Structure formats: C-alpha cells, structure tokens
C-alpha cells in the first residue's frame, strides 16, 4: 500500500513539473525615441523580476499563461500574458507609450501682481519668525569668550579659576576682538 502511495505522489510531481515547464523568453523594449533601459519587467505569476539592458534587450524565465508586467515611472505600464504564440516566438518586442501626467491649474498665491516690481514688493505681505511660531530673540548669542567666562565663573570652578587667574585672563581684552561686559 505504501508503494502505491509513493508511486502516485511521484506521478503527481512529475505531471506538476511538466505543466510548469519554464523557458527563457528574450525580447527588446522600444519607445518612440528608440531603445530604453531601466524598465522593470516582473513576472507577476512567479513573482520574479528583472530590468532590461542599456540596448533595450531583456531575458526572463516564463511558463505558459504567466503574466509579465513592463513598467517605469515615465511610461504607461503594459501587462502581457505568455500565450503559446508568445512562447513559440521566443523573442518579444514591447513598445512602451510615454506616460503624460497633466496637472490641473495650480494657484500658488492669491496675490495679484501688476508687473511693477517696486509696487508689487510693497504690497506683498511678509512674515516674521514670530508670525510662524519660531522662537526668536533680539539678544545676540554670546561669543566663545563670553561662554568660556560663564563656564569658568560657575560653581566651584569659579573659585578655582579666580585663584589660578583664568577669569582675569578671560576678562582681559584681546587685540582685534570686541569684549562686552
């Protein structure tokens, strides 16, 4: 009984393998401009993909009734079913059409301009950092010397730096630099 079961299983696998015979389909992708490269070629049935070469040629493994998808951002996608006729040819030429994405009218502002730059600049509203919610301050950030002085005078460091003369050195004006008290 076990032998019969194994024989049936082997026959099923053989027929399954025979029905799924793969072949190498070669082809070339063309556009109105001529040859094109970097087109995605996906066998949707086997979930295997490739791209074409610089001269437009490609190769992909297919079985009968597989669906091939040829796609790229700038071209309309095309799906081709591998029929017996396609399989017998063994060479497939695919012509891609350019994809044209037309946008509707875009209005970038509700400001009408006169064409006179001097007048238009006066009439265009401007925003400050505070208008958009960014934190802002009229106080300039401290210079590197001022930051060093703040660090040197804080806590226990302040006592040690007073004794070793570092604070006095930092407070001393340096030639060519502005020091704010």
């Amino acid at each position: 009984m076990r032998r019969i079961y194994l024989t049936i299983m082997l026959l099923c696998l053989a027929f399954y393998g025979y029905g799924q015979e793969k072949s190498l389909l070669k082809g070339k992708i063309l556009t109105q401009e001529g040859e094109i490269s970097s087109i995605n070629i996906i066998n949707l049935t086997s979930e295997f993909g490739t791209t074409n070469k610089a001269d437009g040629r490609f190769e992909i493994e297919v079985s009968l009734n597989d669906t091939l998808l040829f796609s790229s951002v700038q071209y309309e996608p095309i799906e081709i079913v591998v029929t017996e006729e396609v399989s017998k040819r063994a060479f497939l030429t695919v012509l891609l059409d350019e994809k044209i994405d037309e946008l509707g009218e875009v209005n970038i502002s509700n400001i009408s301009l006169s064409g006179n730059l001097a007048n238009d600049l006066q009439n265009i509203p401007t925003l400050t950092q505070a208008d958009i919610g960014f934190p802002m301050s009229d106080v300039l950030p401290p210079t590197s010397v001022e930051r060093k002085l703040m660090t040197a005078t804080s806590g226990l460091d302040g006592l040690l730096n007073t004794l070793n003369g570092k604070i006095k050195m930092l407070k001393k004006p340096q030639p060519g630099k502005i020091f704010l008290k």
Side-chain angles (χ1 to χ4, degrees):
M1 189 68 168
R2 194 175 213 176
R3 279 188 174 175
I4 295 174
Y5 178 70
L6 287 173
T7 306
I8 293 173
M9 289 292 289
L10 287 174
L11 283 173
C12 288
L13 288 173
F15 284 121
Y16 179 77
Y18 179 76
Q20 299 298 319
E21 187 176 310
K22 292 201 176 284
S23 62
L24 188 64
L25 178 67
K26 295 181 180 183
K28 188 170 191 173
I29 299 176
L30 299 173
T31 65
Q32 298 294 342
E33 295 82 35
E35 300 166 347
I36 186 81
S37 65
S38 300
I39 303 297
N40 297 310
I41 306 159
I42 302 166
N43 185 331
L44 297 174
T45 309
S46 68
E47 297 180 348
F48 177 79
T50 186
T51 58
N52 62 327
K53 297 181 174 96
D55 66 353
R57 295 185 179 274
F58 68 90
E59 295 179 351
I60 190 166
E61 278 192 354
V62 295
S63 295
L64 199 59
N65 297 321
D66 281 358
T67 302
L68 298 178
L69 172 66
F70 297 83
S71 69
S72 180
V73 174
Q74 68 270 31
Y75 296 100
E76 293 290 339
I78 294 178
E79 285 188 13
I80 296 176
V81 177
V82 179
T83 60
E84 282 190 42
E85 182 183 332
V86 171
S87 185
K88 284 179 187 175
R89 269 194 208 160
F91 193 87
L92 180 66
T93 302
V94 179
L95 180 63
L96 296 180
D97 290 326
E98 191 173 356
K99 183 188 247 181
I100 299 172
D101 290 327
E102 270 190 47
L103 297 176
E105 184 178 329
V106 177
N107 188 2
I108 57 172
S109 75
N110 58 358
I111 302 170
S112 58
L113 302 175
S114 67
N116 182 335
L117 191 56
N119 290 339
D120 290 342
L121 284 175
Q122 290 175 355
N123 296 329
I124 294 176
T126 57
L127 301 174
T128 65
Q129 289 177 331
D131 295 332
I132 347 181
F134 286 121
M136 56 184 263
S137 174
D138 293 336
V139 180
L140 293 174
T143 64
S144 64
V145 174
E146 291 170 331
R147 288 192 307 269
K148 287 178 185 175
L149 186 59
M150 285 190 293
T151 305
T153 57
S154 64
L156 185 59
D157 287 341
L159 178 63
L160 293 173
N161 289 329
T162 302
L163 293 173
N164 69 14
K166 186 171 182 178
I167 293 176
K168 187 176 182 180
M169 181 192 73
L170 288 171
K171 286 184 177 182
K172 183 193 254 185
Q174 298 175 357
K177 297 197 178 182
I178 299 171
F179 182 75
L180 302 173
K181 280 191 173 184

